[in-house]
Structures are given as structure tokens and as C-alpha cells.
Amino acid sequence: MEEGWSLKKLHKIILLSATYQQSSRNNPAYAEKDPNNRLLWRANVRRLEFEPLRDSILYLGGKLDLTIGGHPIDLSEGTHMTQKRFLAILNRYGKINLPTAPRRTIYGYIDRADLVEVLNTFDFASPDMPTGKRYETTVPQQALFLMNSPLVIEQVRNVVNRPQFKNQKTDEDRIRYLYQLFFQRLPLEEEIRDGKEFVAAHQQPEKNVMSDSGLRPVSNEIAQASPRRRSLAQPAPSRATRKPLSGWQEYAHALLLTNESSFVN
């Protein structure tokens, strides 16, 4: 009331308060007295919504476009099969790849009649009605998105290609850089040890001859057989193949799949 009922000044007071700026770090003494944090002695850990999660993935790869304003962008990563009647007919004769852009997710185009499925996967608010609070669900599709999405895989490759990563001299320095980039903290000694073992295990040369599509090794009997027999013995390779990730890219992907990467501490 003293500030003339200004909501902007009220927001400023709240945001600058010590309570609002607390971290989520645990305090055993306070946790014993107030285990449910009703007195707000720490910040509550919360999961990222889809918009900041996608922005974080692009930021990790160094590709997030921070341009302010402009036209809306497609969020479907170029793989969205539209349900609209005209384009649905065209999709029968070949998949329609819609344009994509590494811009902030807040500029994503929202079609109420044809909502991109990934938004529903991550509990996006319904555009057909006012929604004061989003519901949170935990479903396998969310983990599958982080494991297999072309957007995620591409940014994992970009993380290892960043000049800051390449300029690190030792494996320990590379792991520390990734932890500071992903989690804004330094890794523990056991985390450094686990990281080095993880990368070393993925950098070992393959002993068996593997096809690009990940098929089983070709045995000597089949390799020495006639071309016709080999063609009958081996399954047909998949049409679309993805270049395998390197050891460091696999490690960066593993860090991205952790809860710490998807939650605000």
C-alpha cells in the first residue's frame, strides 16, 4: 500500500528478498525441524518445463539464438507429420519436413488444431483454455525424447565440438568443463574417476566387425559363403543410419540424461 499498490514494486521486493534468493541446498538441522519446507528455509527443487529444457539443450550445444522478436518458428525438428487434410495427403507421397530454427522456445508456433506431440509429452498447457498451473507427469516418452531426439543428439555433438572443450588439455579438465557447463558446479573426485572410466570404455576399438546399422558381427562362415547365401543370411540394413557418437559425446549425452540436468537446484 505504501508503494501505491504497484505490482511491479511488489515483484521487485519479492525477487530481491533473501527468501526468494535461497538455494535448494539441504540443511540437516532445518530439515529435522521442517522436513516439508513449509517455512521456506530453502528453495524447492523443481523440474524444468519444456520451454527452458529445450533452451538449455540448445545452450549446451552453443547454438541458442537469443534474437529478440521475429516470426514464430517450428518446434517439431523437421519431423512433424501434420494432421491437416491438405498436407496430410501430401505426406502419403513423402514426409514433409517443416523448417526448424535454434531460437528460444518461447517463439515456437502453436497451432491449436495441430499441436506438436512433443509439447503434450512434456505437459504443455492446453492452448484452448486458460491454465493457471501446469500439471506434471513422469512418462517414458520424456526420457525417450532426451535419448533419441535428433535435436538432443545434434547438440550433444556440438558440445564436444565447442572450442572451449577442445582447448582443455587433460581428461580431468574436460570433465570439469562439462560439469560447469551442465550443472554450474565442479565435479567430485569420484565423478571425475567415473567420467574417465566411462570415456575410456567407449573409446576402446571394436573387436568385431559391425555394420553401420548396428547389426550383429558377421561370422567367418557367412563371410566366406557365396554372395547369394550372404544376402539371405544377413538382415537388410535400415534405410536411415545415424553416425555413432564418440566416447566424449556419449559422456556428454549421459550427463544430459541425469536428473540434475533437468531440474532447477
Side-chain angles (χ1 to χ4, degrees), residues 170-202:
T170 64
D171 290 346
E172 291 85 350
D173 292 339
R174 297 185 184 96
I175 295 174
R176 292 190 183 95
Y177 170 78
L178 291 177
Y179 265 78
Q180 289 179 322
L181 179 64
F182 279 72
F183 310 133
Q184 293 79 55
R185 68 173 178 86
L186 291 174
L188 303 175
E189 289 299 326
E190 61 178 318
E191 291 174 330
I192 294 179
R193 182 181 66 253
D194 293 342
K196 293 172 63 176
E197 293 176 355
F198 183 97
V199 175
H202 283 75

Side-chain angles (χ1 to χ4, degrees), residues 20-154:
Y20 188 87
Q21 297 183 25
Q22 290 185 116
S23 71
S24 59
R25 184 175 302 173
N26 186 40
N27 187 318
Y30 295 161
E32 183 178 357
K33 298 178 181 179
D34 182 21
N36 296 324
N37 194 31
R38 296 181 59 187
L39 302 179
L40 301 179
W41 53 270
R42 63 171 175 82
N44 291 316
V45 178
R46 62 180 179 85
R47 192 174 65 183
L48 289 173
E49 299 88 355
F50 176 72
E51 294 93 328
L53 177 63
R54 180 179 179 275
D55 289 356
S56 298
I57 295 172
L58 291 172
Y59 172 79
L60 294 175
K63 300 299 182 180
L64 180 61
D65 184 0
L66 298 176
T67 304
I68 299 177
H71 296 287
I73 62 166
D74 172 57
L75 298 176
S76 63
E77 307 168 16
T79 59
H80 179 47
M81 297 289 289
T82 179
Q83 301 301 316
K84 292 183 178 180
R85 180 175 301 177
F86 174 73
L87 291 180
I89 296 175
L90 294 180
N91 281 332
R92 298 177 184 176
Y93 302 97
K95 180 174 289 188
I96 304 300
N97 289 332
L98 302 178
T100 60
R103 298 204 59 196
R104 292 184 59 197
T105 314
I106 194 175
Y107 293 106
Y109 177 73
I110 303 298
D111 188 345
R112 295 184 180 182
D114 191 28
L115 194 64
V116 178
E117 184 60 29
V118 68
L119 296 178
N120 292 324
T121 300
F122 284 91
D123 309 316
F124 188 75
S126 173
D128 296 324
M129 63 184 69
T131 304
K133 181 181 180 180
R134 296 187 186 183
Y135 294 99
E136 290 187 1
T137 62
T138 302
V139 295
Q141 291 86 338
Q142 297 167 354
L144 291 174
F145 173 84
L146 295 176
M147 293 172 62
N148 302 312
S149 168
L151 170 71
V152 176
I153 299 301
E154 185 64 25

